[in-house]
Amino acid sequence: VFEGGRVGNNLGQAAEVLGVTPAPAPDLVAREVVPPPVALSGGTVTVRWAVTNSGEAGASGPWVDYVYLRLNGELAGATLLGSRARSGALAAGERYEASLPVTLPSLGEGEGARILVLTDAQAQVFEARRESNNLSGADIVLRRVDLRADRLVAPSSAVSGDRLEVGFDVTQ
């Protein structure tokens, strides 16, 4: 609206300070991540975890939990192994348990790694800036299959075209 220069009375002030209190919000906390302690590199394992709503209000779905593998335990650079969708609500103080079969990447023998679970991975639930506890993890040791033939049993000589019987034991 054109006021022709009469704008000095366009700003006012409330007689009292207005107090604003944040609304209650959910707080999803990932915990109790349980992979097997040792697994075969490149194999399939089942990862279990729990999520608790430690907030003051219920969480309305949907949201997604991601499962990662990381050699140094940090989320940055981790390999996404899979995801589990959650469609239902989770009341304040309640928890749910989830599991997911995942295929591990092929890595070196004896490498220590961590399975990480990130709940609400796509930030679909408003948690009033309390997302720092959405990540939890547990250690896993990766082994490689290393088969070898032991105790070889074979004849000491043979003639070309003869049939041979060879025996051996396979150990890891």
Side-chain angles (χ1 to χ4, degrees), residues 51-144:
V51 174
T52 301
N53 180 357
S54 295
E56 310 80 34
S60 298
W63 67 86
V64 179
D65 297 342
Y66 284 175
V67 178
Y68 293 94
L69 177 77
R70 183 65 179 155
L71 294 180
N72 69 4
E74 299 296 323
L75 185 57
T79 300
L80 179 63
L81 300 176
S83 62
R84 170 77 63 208
R86 168 97 180 161
S87 60
L90 187 63
E94 288 189 354
R95 66 182 256 143
Y96 68 88
E97 295 178 0
S99 65
L100 184 68
V102 297
T103 300
L104 301 169
S106 292
L107 299 170
E109 169 69 28
E111 292 203 43
R114 278 184 79 73
I115 296 288
L116 303 173
V117 172
L118 178 64
T119 190
D120 189 26
Q122 298 173 345
Q124 295 168 286
V125 177
F126 174 73
E127 297 184 64
R129 297 189 312 223
R130 295 183 287 195
E131 287 83 9
S132 63
N133 55 8
N134 288 13
L135 181 69
S136 185
D139 293 335
I140 185 170
V141 175
L142 301 178
R143 300 275 188 235
R144 292 188 67 80

